Each structure stands twice: as structure tokens, then as C-alpha cells.
């Protein structure tokens, strides 16, 4: 979908989500530890500008392979559950600048853990055809028990009877993160990758690097 066809109203966006969510495929044929992973994040300024950042890291050493940014104006209003329609145009533009096709996309947001089971990670995965999952800082939908305090502990995130993600402790005693599959990856695999990307901090290194880069791009 090109931004020329991009929805401009809530009704149009809901119709797009309804149409595309049937294309989500959670068949997982990824290597256990892909050679590289690509993180994505956006930052906003006070004038409606968005800076999107994508950062590819070598999975083994978490060193930066390449990074790109794209600045744009928001083309969709601020509407919970429809953030993808603000963030995807600049994110897709940044992804197109990469020299190497990403092996898997790690979004600062959600996949199936979304009211219509079609969060940013699902939308991005369907549009690009790439494996994608979300790691959210906060809960958007569902309920869960508290995971044990040890790193690697998790509990199911359940919404309306569906297991839509996992509440995962990435460091001993720190707040958990919310992992959900988006496209072409299973939840258990997404959790294992999240732990591989969080050797020292609560958030994946992909998110930390992309967040830093997107903020710098606004300055």
C-alpha cells in the first residue's frame, strides 16, 4: 500500500485493518537465532512531525550493521488502536533505504495484542512480507498474572479468552515487557529472541538503538 492510498479517516483505517488482518500468517520458519534483527521506532515533535528510525543489529554481538531515518509529517490523526496509520509511512520509507533486507522486524509496540488483533507488528509484517513481532513497554489490551521476578519468567496475556501475547521479565526484578507475535513468527520464538536482545537492559537493544536514533533525527 502506498501512502497515496493511505486512509485519512478512522472509518477507512478500521476497514483496512479488517481487510488485512486475515493475511497474518504465524507459520514460523525462522532460524532460532537469525543472523541480524532490525528494530524500529518513531519520535514526534510538537508540530506533528515524525522521525522514523530503523536499526539493524548483528544478533550475536548486538553491534550495529546499518541504520536509517526518515522524517515526515503525520498523515493520520492520533487515535488509539490506529497508531500504525501515523507511523507506518515514515517507517516503510526508512526500511526502503536499508542495503540489506531485514531478517526479522522488532517493533516498539504490539502485534496480536491489539483490540482487533492487528497491531503495528502485524500491519508491518503483512505489508512488507517480513517476520515481525512487537515488544511493548506497557499493556494495551488483556489481563495477566504477575510473572515471577527472575529473568525469563513469563505469564500469558489474555484478552477476551484469546492468548494474545506474553508478559515477559527480561531482567531480574524489573517491570516486564509485553511480547506479541506479528507475522511469520510464533510467540515462543518471539520471547526467546526478546531475551537474546535484552542481555543488560529491560528493553531490547533494537528498541533502545532505534529510540535513540529517532530522537536524534528530530534535533
Amino acid at each position: 500500500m502506498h501512502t497515496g492510498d493511505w486512509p485519512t479517516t478512522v472509518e477507512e483505517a478500521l476497514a483496512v485493518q479488517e481487510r488485512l488482518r486475515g493475511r497474518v500468517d504465524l507459520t514460523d520458519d525462522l532460524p532460532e537465532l537469525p543472523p541480524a534483527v532490525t528494530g524500529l521506532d518513531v519520535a514526534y515533535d510538537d508540530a506533528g512531525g515524525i522521525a522514523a528510525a530503523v536499526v539493524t543489529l548483528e544478533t550475536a554481538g548486538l553491534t550495529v550493521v546499518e541504520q536509517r531515518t526518515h522524517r515526515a509529517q503525520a498523515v493520520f490523526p492520533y487515535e488509539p488502536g490506529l497508531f500504525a496509520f501515523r507511523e507506518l509511512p515514515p517507517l516503510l520509507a526508512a526500511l526502503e533505504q536499508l542495503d540489506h533486507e531485514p531478517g526479522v522486524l522488532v517493533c516498539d509496540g504490539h502485534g496480536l495484542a491489539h483490540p482487533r488483533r492487528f497491531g503495528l507488528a502485524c500491519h508491518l509484517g503483512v505489508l512488507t512480507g517480513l517476520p515481525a513481532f512487537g515488544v511493548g513497554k506497557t499493556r494495551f489490551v488483556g489481563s495477566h498474572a504477575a510473572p515471577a521476578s527472575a529473568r525469563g519468567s513469563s505469564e500469558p496475556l489474555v484478552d477476551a479468552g484469546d492468548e494474545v501475547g506474553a508478559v515477559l521479565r527480561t531482567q531480574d526484578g524489573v517491570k516486564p515487557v509485553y511480547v506479541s507475535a506479528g507475522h511469520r513468527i510464533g510467540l515462543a520464538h518471539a520471547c526467546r529472541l526478546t531475551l537474546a536482545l535484552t542481555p543488560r537492559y529491560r528493553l531490547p537493544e533494537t528498541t533502545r538503538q532505534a529510540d535513540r536514533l529517532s530522537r536524534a533525527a528530530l534535533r
Side-chain angles (χ1 to χ4, degrees), residues 86-168:
R86 288 170 70 83
E87 300 181 357
L88 274 171
L91 283 172
L92 291 170
L95 279 172
E96 286 174 359
Q97 298 175 44
L98 290 173
D99 293 329
H100 306 89
E101 182 174 287
V104 59
L105 304 176
V106 185
C107 302
D108 177 33
H110 303 281
L112 293 180
H114 179 274
R116 289 169 295 282
R117 308 295 182 257
F118 198 70
L120 176 64
C122 297
H123 205 149
L124 193 60
V126 166
L127 289 188
T128 62
L130 296 169
F133 67 96
V135 182
K137 302 181 188 75
T138 57
R139 179 177 60 87
F140 184 36
V141 296
S143 58
H144 60 88
S149 61
R151 167 177 159 87
S153 301
S154 69
E155 289 289 340
L157 177 65
V158 178
D159 183 54
D162 297 331
E163 184 175 346
V164 295
V167 188
L168 178 67

Side-chain angles (χ1 to χ4, degrees), residues 188-206:
H189 197 172
C191 287
R192 292 192 297 272
L193 270 178
T194 300
L195 288 173
L197 296 171
T198 52
R200 296 176 58 198
Y201 301 103
R202 175 187 176 228
L203 295 178
E205 198 59 27
T206 40

Side-chain angles (χ1 to χ4, degrees), residues 11-74:
E11 293 73 21
E12 289 171 353
L14 289 171
V16 169
Q17 283 188 338
E18 188 64 32
R19 188 174 80 247
L20 294 183
R21 68 178 184 167
R23 299 188 193 175
V24 170
D25 180 2
L26 298 182
T27 303
D28 189 331
D29 57 2
L30 280 176
E32 183 62 24
L33 203 64
V37 288
T38 300
L40 309 95
D41 202 3
V42 299
Y44 295 91
D45 64 24
D46 295 332
I50 304 177
V54 297
V55 182
T56 297
L57 303 180
E58 201 174 51
T59 313
L62 299 181
T63 53
V64 175
V65 176
E66 61 175 329
Q67 55 189 35
R68 299 287 186 270
T69 61
H70 182 82
R71 290 191 60 167
Q73 286 296 117

